Each structure stands twice: as C-alpha cells, then as structure tokens.
C-alpha cells in the first residue's frame, strides 16, 4: 500500500510583479502540521532595472520563513529591522498581534542582472500565541545544524529533528530539513519524523514504491514512520511538518488566525493605517477587495 497520501504540483501565482509556484494552501490539503503557506520563488532572471519590490504589507498570527537559493532581498519591518538575506541564511519574522514589512532588491543590485530563487513559508502560531508581541530573527548559514550521513548532506533550517535543533525560535513542534545528494542513495528517516509530513522536490528526482517523482512536486505522507525512498543523483529535497493544531485556521490575504474576529480587526486596522509604519518606507499595499487565498484551512 502506498504511503503517499497526496501529490501537489506547483501552481503559478502572480504576487504583483513576481510569479511564484504555490504549493500550500491546496484545496485538498490546507496545512501540513503548522505549515500553512509555501511559495517557490523563481528562479527569476531579472535584467538591470527589474527588481523585487513588495511594499509594506501586514501580517498577523504567523511566522514567516524566507530561505534563498540564489539572490538577495532586503527586509524592513515595523520593528525597525533592516536585514539583507543572502542564500543559505534564514529570515524568521513572527507577526503575532501584527507587523508590517517590505521586501526589495538591495540598492547595489538594482541596476545589475541577477537571479532570485528561494522559498517563502508561513507557519501558523499556536492559538495561545497568536497575539504575542512581534519579533524578528536572522540566522547565518553557519548557525544552522549541518551534518552528513551515508553521502547525504543534511541542513536543519528550522525546528528540531534527529537530536538536532535549529537556532530559529519556533513556537510549536516542527521541522524544516534540507537533504542533498550527489549520488543515488536510499534514505530512511521515518523513525525521526513526527506529526504530519510533506516532502518537496526542488531539483532531481526520487523513487518511492516503484514510482519516480520529479521537481516542483510536493508529496504528503500518510504515515511519517514509513518514509523511505531513493534520492537519485543531484537531488535536493525538503522535509517539513510537525504537530498539527487541534483548531482550524482561517486565512485572509496575509492574515492567519483561529478566530475570524481577529482577521476582521486586522483588516480594519490596515484599512485605517493603524499598523506601526515601516521606517524608511512610503506607500503600502492596499487591502484586496477579494481574498485570493483559501479562507478556511483546518
């Protein structure tokens, strides 16, 4: 019997002046553990003068995780943070009761040719922490746990697994784990996984139960304890998941909450421009008249 419960392929989405491949939310699977939103950015080849420019916009009830493979983004937020993220680093912003931020190409790259490629992820907060104070954390590449086993290279980007712990301050049991292999290798880590589990294939391919799966596919497992597969040569995959929350989650635009009243209050607060402003920024992304995300999650 197959252990693969669902196969999700990237769907193109336009987020302004940038196209992404959306993985979550999906109509048949709104969340995987606490992970509620995953976008694969690029790879986007940008000419001089073509840049990422996502102006100030708000979040509540979640943490955002940005992880780049190529390119650079300057993050600014209403806490006064200004941080350039580079490939292999982690930006982790916890919105809690409310935060606003912008994401832009750094000034020194704006008139150069460049590539932008990475993952942007939302992790819902536990109900008791949904209205916590907002915060920001940045981790350099060398701070992330890295190890090799049987010619497979592991990097723990966030959470805890295999007796390793990332410095990224998560708020519920979860993991976001990168595996890279230059050779064909069988991988069996089911005994280390917990909760709900997804596997995303960035490049290369894997074989599971006689079937080959390729890039830009997300596989959701029925039973995390049965996760065995073969990584073909030059393959990169990501395991993510963790303990699911007992309450359902709602999502409207950039707002996530277990209570629709929290979302309505956040909408009104943004309409009235009562979120703390982002220093050094002018303008803002207006509240959409229609919600382009799925309203109800779990």
């Amino acid at each position: 019997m197959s252990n693969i419960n669902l196969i999700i392929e990237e769907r193109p989405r336009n987020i302004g002046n940038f196209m992404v491949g959306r993985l979550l939310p999906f109509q048949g699977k709104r969340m995987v553990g606490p992970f509620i939103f995953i976008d694969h950015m690029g790879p986007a080849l940008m000419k001089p003068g073509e840049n990422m420019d996502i102006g100030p916009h708000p979040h509540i009830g979640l943490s955002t995780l940005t992880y780049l493979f190529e390119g650079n983004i300057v993050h600014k937020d209403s806490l006064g943070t200004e941080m350039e993220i580079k490939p292999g680093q982690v930006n982790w912003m916890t919105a809690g009761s409310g935060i606003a931020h912008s994401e832009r190409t750094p000034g020194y790259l704006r008139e150069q040719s460049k590539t932008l490629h990475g993952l942007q992820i939302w992790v819902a907060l536990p109900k008791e922490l949904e209205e916590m104070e907002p915060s920001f954390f940045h981790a350099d590449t060398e701070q992330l746990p890295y190890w090799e086993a049987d010619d497979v290279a592991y990097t723990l980007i966030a959470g805890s697994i295999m007796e390793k712990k990332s410095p990224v301050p998560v708020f519920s049991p979860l993991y976001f784990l990168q595996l890279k292999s230059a050779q064909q290798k069988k991988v069996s880590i089911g005994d280390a996984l917990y909760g709900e589990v997804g596997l995303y294939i960035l490049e290369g391919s894997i074989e599971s139960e006689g079937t080959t799966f390729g890039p830009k596919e997300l596989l959701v497992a029925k039973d995390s304890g049965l996760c065995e597969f073969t990584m073909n040569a030059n393959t990169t995959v990501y395991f993510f998941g963790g303990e699911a929350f007992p309450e359902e989650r709602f999502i409207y635009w950039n707002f996530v909450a277990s209570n629709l009243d929290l979302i309505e209050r956040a909408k009104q607060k943004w309409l009235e421009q009562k979120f703390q402003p982002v220093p050094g920024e002018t303008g803002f992304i207006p509240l959409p008249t229609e919600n382009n995300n799925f309203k109800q999650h779990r």
Side-chain angles (χ1 to χ4, degrees), residues 225-244:
L226 299 178
C227 284
E228 294 186 0
F229 59 97
T230 297
M231 292 179 69
N232 290 321
N234 302 313
T235 291
T236 302
V237 301
Y238 293 86
F239 273 104
F240 66 93
E243 300 296 341

Side-chain angles (χ1 to χ4, degrees), residues 96-159:
S97 59
I99 198 169
H101 75 129
S102 64
E103 298 162 288
R104 301 188 187 275
T105 299
Y108 67 93
L109 293 176
R110 296 182 73 85
E111 298 305 321
Q112 299 181 22
S113 297
K114 55 217 167 261
T115 301
L116 187 61
H117 190 199
L119 293 172
Q120 289 202 310
I121 294 169
W122 296 358
V123 180
L125 289 169
K127 184 176 181 179
E128 65 274 15
L129 295 175
E130 283 182 303
E131 297 185 84
M132 67 184 289
E133 289 295 313
S135 61
F136 179 86
F137 180 85
H138 174 88
D140 289 326
T141 306
E142 57 270 20
Q143 294 177 263
L144 303 177
Y146 172 88
W147 69 100
E148 297 180 8
D150 194 23
D151 295 321
V152 176
Y154 296 81
T155 301
L156 181 57
I157 298 166

